Amino acid sequence: MKDEFFKSMNAVISKCLPGNSIDCVVFGYENYQLKTLLLKWKQEDLWSLPGGFIYLDEDLDAAAVRVLKERTGVTSMFLDQFYTFGEKERSKMNSKIISARFSNYTQQDLFGKNNFVEWIDKRFITTGYLALANIEKTLVNPDVFSEKYAWVNVHNLPELLLDHNKIIERALHQLRIQLNYMPIGISLLPEKFTMQDVQKLYEAILQKPLERSNFQRKMLKLDIFKREEKQLTGAANKAPYLYSFNKEKYNELLTRGIGFNY
Amino acid sequence: MKDEFFKSMNAVISKCLPGNSIDCVVFGYENYQLKTLLLKWKQEDLWSLPGGFIYLDEDLDAAAVRVLKERTGVTSMFLDQFYTFGEKERSKMNSKIISARFSNYTQQDLFGKNNFVEWIDKRFITTGYLALANIEKTLVNPDVFSEKYAWVNVHNLPELLLDHNKIIERALHQLRIQLNYMPIGISLLPEKFTMQDVQKLYEAILQKPLERSNFQRKMLKLDIFKREEKQLTGAANKAPYLYSFNKEKYNELLTRGIGFNY
DNA sequence: ATTTCAATGTATCATTATGACACAATAAAA
DNA sequence: TTTTATTGTGTCATAATGATACATTGAAAT
């Protein structure tokens, strides 16, 4: 039992770079709320970001793609490195968590040669990746430390492992800045959507109300949408048009960018 | 001699995180050209970015501040982490460079226990920092590997160590994006300057001509300048006004940002 | 069947921003 | 005194923006 666990973990760490990790802030959009994917640790009341280590022969960016694939099943999502966190104290809590987590093991179990506990009880530098996912299209698969997952409103988060709250804070800041020079949302919205859907998404990200008709005018002027037929299903009001993204024009705008020109 | 060098290097590496480094892209502005600070290696025809390692008890960001201080003497410059480079092959050339560099040493010298060469001949992940410096105010101090330095036009760079060309390319990209949502330049311009100076700087960064009178109107509308007296010295033309930055308003705009609003 | 309700698509309009260009002013050189 | 280059400012047509208005229209309520 003990042997099994440590044998498998030692196998993992022997293939990974020591002292470096990645953490993914996966944003999703559901019920008009901006959410992020969290994993709950086995046994403990502790939530954390999905993350992982970098294989010795693997590019850093590739590690992020792999971890995201392992956790969500999705490969083709918006994924962007946004910051590397290297405060000297940031991973200090690892040892506490580890000792609580493995309190039924002996010191020898925990600190034998080439041991996982010893390996992880070091200072780590982690690189944060920002991902945008369509919640309905993901099939979340918790990692070996986790028993379950949840999509949690980013504006109502519990206290997380280590500096993960800070990492999410920074990812959100980055997302808001990105909104100012590139259209985001193709990854967060369903295939077809209304302009109100887009507006609600932007409001959820920016956390401020936007004027409806001007927002619509401005968005449509970007010329990245294709207007579909009228939406028939619906509520007690005039049926809105459905839109989809014109992916060529969307991607072109992504690379060209929008914004302040001199 | 040999002993001296390795003793000092072993002392250095024993205090540093293995496998992680930082590289600084220091932009400066001189003769209407955007330049970056490069160091030339001793003996070899090889240039590289100023960089360094992270002390075991030092924050990542603090390491960047320290390295910048050690190389340029300046502490209070604009400094921003912009990307972490972790391609698996990126530091492969270290071994070649090392062996060329130390070709007069024996294998035993080079690969003894706890040896600097062994330490550096590993895969490294490096975090890039973008700095803006006033060239006249810096006092460059090459590191132990370097014999001299130079401020080189970023649009006319030689082939550099490892992936340093790529790192500069990305820093420049980041700088251009930053221009779109924050005013940059207070660090690159002298205390007092003309609007033409600002325009030339922007043209050097963006590599495209800007329309004079509209540029002036747009910049002044940002309301971050203080108009000083007329410039008396000068060429065969009407004397332009001198400006300085209103630092309160400048910093406020830096945090608020400019750009596309929804 | 008619009315009510809520949200949509579009329009208006005053204000501001933008790009292109014009031109008198002026410091120094010819 | 004239020439030259650059500056500060103005004009003007066009586009973008923010605030608001209103007729339209599905579905629910009466």
Side-chain angles (χ1 to χ4, degrees), chain B residues 19-21 53 85 90-91 94 119-120 122-126:
Chain B
N20 281 94
S21 61
F53 304 111
F85 301 84
R90 68 168 294 281
S91 46
N94 272 344
W119 187 81
I120 206 171
K122 286 268 189 340
R123 175 177 173 185
F124 267 76
I125 289 179
T126 197

Side-chain angles (χ1 to χ4, degrees), chain A residues 211-214 217-218 221 232 234-238:
Chain A
E211 205 288 321
R212 182 184 61 87
S213 74
N214 293 334
R217 182 177 34 164
K218 206 159 179 176
K221 189 157 38 73
L232 298 176
N237 53 34
K238 185 176 178 180

Side-chain angles (χ1 to χ4, degrees), chain B residues 196 212-213 216 227 230 236-238 240-241:
Chain B
Q196 186 183 221
R212 182 184 61 87
S213 75
Q216 181 156 189
R227 179 187 271 192
K230 278 265 189 180
N237 53 36
K238 186 176 178 179
Y241 283 105

Side-chain angles (χ1 to χ4, degrees), chain A residues 62-126:
Chain A
V65 172
R66 173 178 54 79
V67 166
L68 222 49
K69 172 73 191 313
E70 287 172 3
R71 291 298 138 262
T72 67
V74 182
T75 53
S76 64
M77 58 170 76
F78 179 92
L79 181 62
D80 209 20
Q81 187 199 302
F82 68 95
Y83 203 76
T84 294
F85 301 84
E87 284 184 47
K88 60 177 185 285
E89 307 286 357
R90 67 168 295 279
S91 44
K92 266 255 168 104
M93 291 301 290
N94 272 344
S95 57
K96 270 196 192 173
I97 295 159
I98 290 296
S99 39
R101 182 99 186 66
F102 298 105
S103 56
N104 55 332
Y105 292 84
T106 68
Q107 278 299 102
Q108 182 153 11
D109 288 332
L110 298 181
F111 290 92
K113 197 175 186 302
N114 210 15
N115 188 288
F116 166 67
V117 176
E118 193 176 296
W119 187 82
I120 205 171
D121 193 37
K122 286 271 189 337
R123 175 176 172 185
F124 268 76
I125 288 179
T126 198

Side-chain angles (χ1 to χ4, degrees), chain B residues 7 79 86 144 189:
Chain B
K7 209 179 264 178
L79 180 61
V144 288
L189 291 167

Side-chain angles (χ1 to χ4, degrees), chain B residues 112-219:
Chain B
K113 196 172 187 302
N114 210 13
N115 189 289
F116 166 66
V117 176
E118 194 176 296
W119 187 81
I120 206 171
D121 193 37
K122 286 268 189 340
R123 175 177 173 185
F124 267 76
I125 289 179
T126 197
T127 297
Y129 282 81
L130 185 167
L132 302 179
N134 187 323
I135 293 183
E136 283 145 30
K137 286 187 182 164
T138 62
L139 230 171
V140 182
N141 188 241
D143 62 28
V144 288
F145 303 106
S146 310
E147 62 181 27
K148 64 174 184 177
Y149 72 91
W151 291 94
V152 185
N153 188 327
V154 289
H155 303 109
N156 189 23
L157 294 171
E159 189 176 328
L160 305 176
L161 175 71
L162 303 178
D163 55 353
H164 288 195
N165 289 88
K166 191 175 152 192
I167 292 175
I168 293 175
E169 197 52 54
R170 185 143 200 144
L172 186 55
H173 176 73
Q174 178 67 18
L175 180 62
R176 285 173 174 155
I177 285 178
Q178 306 243 128
L179 266 198
N180 278 348
Y181 65 91
M182 51 173 71
I184 297 190
I186 195 167
S187 328
L188 292 172
L189 291 167
E191 199 63 37
K192 297 184 179 185
F193 48 85
T194 67
M195 268 303 138
Q196 186 183 221
D197 292 334
V198 184
Q199 185 179 338
K200 291 266 174 65
L201 168 61
Y202 274 64
E203 289 177 335
I205 294 174
L206 299 172
Q207 285 288 292
K208 69 175 181 187
L210 304 170
E211 206 287 320
R212 182 184 61 87
S213 75
N214 294 334
F215 178 81
Q216 181 156 189
R217 180 174 34 155
K218 206 158 180 176
M219 287 304 292

Side-chain angles (χ1 to χ4, degrees), chain B residues 216-256:
Chain B
Q216 181 156 189
R217 180 174 34 155
K218 206 158 180 176
M219 287 304 292
L220 290 176
K221 189 158 37 72
L222 293 178
D223 192 30
I224 54 175
F225 299 98
K226 193 166 68 192
R227 179 187 271 192
E228 308 277 340
E229 78 285 2
K230 278 265 189 180
Q231 187 181 41
L232 300 176
T233 69
N237 53 36
K238 186 176 178 179
Y241 283 105
L242 285 172
Y243 293 88
S244 62
F245 282 101
N246 178 328
K247 295 195 183 178
E248 294 81 47
K249 292 191 174 179
Y250 180 90
N251 287 322
E252 196 233 316
L253 185 56
L254 251 192
T255 54
R256 191 177 73 244

